[in-house]
Amino acid sequence: MSERISTGKDYEAFLRRIRAKEGHNEGTYVTLSAVVLPRVLTAQLCSAKDMATAMYILGAYVWSEPTGELEGLHILRASADLGSVDAVRALGDALNWMGLYEESIPVLETALQNEPHNARLHGLLGLSMYELHLDEDAQFHLRPGLQADPSLAVPLAQIRRRAGDESEYRDLITEAARLNVYGAHVLAGNLLAEQGDNDQAMELYRLGILSGDAHSAFNLACLLYEAGRMEDARQEFALAREMGDLRMSPFDQMDG
């Protein structure tokens, strides 16, 4: 029966133990959060060029496991402290994904010092700044970030609207909808509805529904209701509720 070897809290000691075995250990390696390391991974840990790289490989794997996200962050931090550029990038990405925007900003700024032309890093940093309402700094990074991620057009558009630039807001949202960016169809539909073009607005809302956007279903239902198409509106309000938009419809108010 193979020995079960846990990381405990000392990841460097854990990795030294793995690397000392040079891939010939018959033990089962398990992290503190109960992530079991497959043999192919332990072989990668053994062949990594240095401890920082091995720590990054371990952290990236643990982060990707359903039970290992928080522990993966801890390991990635340890790898970044050891000097892994890959870990700094991955840590900034992970912190952004988890909504830890204040913590992600300095990490992403450090990552950009290593890779100043990395469009994805610019986008992640811009998104973190956007979420914290740091509009001027955010748009500086969101613009190059668009090269890697067209969905960043939505937060950039919101910044431009807050700045009073309706023209660029319209251009960004229209292009994002053309590229089928999630969340753009409802915004583009709203623009058309504001201009009185309800037929085209409805078409955009329907595309939004196909992308899984509950708000598109609700807004489509509102237009149908205003047009007097009550049965169609009732169906779309029900669909919006089913998809996750919990706002009250006119029918809820009547029934109440």
Side-chain angles (χ1 to χ4, degrees), residues 157-230:
Q158 300 288 23
I159 288 173
R160 297 314 304 153
R161 170 165 266 194
R162 288 199 287 260
D165 189 344
E166 288 294 320
S167 177
E168 187 172 14
Y169 173 81
R170 181 179 60 252
D171 291 346
L172 286 164
I173 288 303
T174 301
E175 178 64 8
R178 187 185 71 79
L179 294 174
N180 290 318
V181 168
Y182 179 80
H185 294 103
V186 67
L187 296 175
N190 292 347
L191 279 174
L192 290 169
E194 290 167 10
Q195 296 166 5
D197 191 347
N198 287 354
D199 289 341
Q200 285 301 310
M202 287 184 187
E203 287 304 308
L204 283 166
Y205 291 147
R206 290 188 177 97
L207 289 173
I209 292 169
L210 292 176
S211 75
D213 180 15
H215 302 317
S216 288
F218 189 93
N219 287 15
L220 173 58
C222 288
L223 287 186
L224 291 168
Y225 183 86
E226 291 168 6
R229 297 168 58 180
M230 295 303 173

Side-chain angles (χ1 to χ4, degrees), residues 209 217-218 220-221 224 231-241:
I209 292 169
F218 189 93
L220 173 58
L224 291 168
E231 189 54 39
D232 290 339
R234 188 184 291 274
Q235 291 178 8
E236 294 300 332
F237 279 125
L239 176 61
R241 177 67 58 87

Side-chain angles (χ1 to χ4, degrees), residues 19-237:
R19 287 161 67 81
K21 298 295 184 179
E22 298 180 351
H24 299 300
N25 184 33
E26 292 301 320
T28 298
Y29 292 102
V30 183
T31 72
L32 199 60
S33 57
V35 174
V36 179
L37 308 186
R39 292 293 170 84
V40 65
L41 181 70
T42 59
Q44 290 178 324
L45 297 174
C46 288
S47 61
K49 64 180 181 179
D50 52 32
M51 182 62 73
T53 303
M55 192 77 75
Y56 164 67
I57 293 170
L58 176 64
Y61 181 82
V62 174
W63 156 259
S64 68
E65 290 295 293
T67 62
E69 289 173 354
L70 293 178
E71 187 181 24
L73 280 181
H74 182 73
I75 300 170
L76 288 172
R77 285 192 184 96
S79 178
D81 289 342
L82 289 172
S84 169
V85 172
D86 290 330
V88 174
R89 185 194 311 116
L91 179 59
D93 195 340
L95 290 168
N96 178 280
W97 184 85
M98 294 184 76
L100 301 173
Y101 303 116
E102 289 187 7
E103 193 174 348
S104 73
I105 286 176
V107 176
L108 289 165
E109 287 175 334
T110 299
L112 273 170
Q113 290 174 10
N114 298 316
E115 302 176 82
H117 303 297
N118 187 309
R120 175 166 170 73
L121 289 177
H122 275 289
L124 289 170
L125 179 55
L127 186 58
S128 291
M129 290 174 167
Y130 164 79
E131 294 292 349
L132 296 174
H133 302 285
L134 303 172
D135 285 2
E136 285 300 316
D137 292 330
Q139 67 179 339
F140 175 82
H141 294 286
L142 288 172
R143 291 189 188 281
L146 282 172
Q147 300 172 31
D149 184 358
S151 73
L152 296 175
V154 173
L156 180 57
Q158 300 288 23
I159 288 173
R160 297 314 304 153
R161 170 165 266 194
R162 288 199 287 260
D165 189 344
E166 288 294 320
S167 177
E168 187 172 14
Y169 173 81
R170 181 179 60 252
D171 291 346
L172 286 164
I173 288 303
T174 301
E175 178 64 8
R178 187 185 71 79
L179 294 174
N180 290 318
V181 168
Y182 179 80
H185 294 103
V186 67
L187 296 175
N190 292 347
L191 279 174
L192 290 169
E194 290 167 10
Q195 296 166 5
D197 191 347
N198 287 354
D199 289 341
Q200 285 301 310
M202 287 184 187
E203 287 304 308
L204 283 166
Y205 291 147
R206 290 188 177 97
L207 289 173
I209 292 169
L210 292 176
S211 75
D213 180 15
H215 302 317
S216 288
F218 189 93
N219 287 15
L220 173 58
C222 288
L223 287 186
L224 291 168
Y225 183 86
E226 291 168 6
R229 297 168 58 180
M230 295 303 173
E231 189 54 39
D232 290 339
R234 188 184 291 274
Q235 291 178 8
E236 294 300 332
F237 279 125

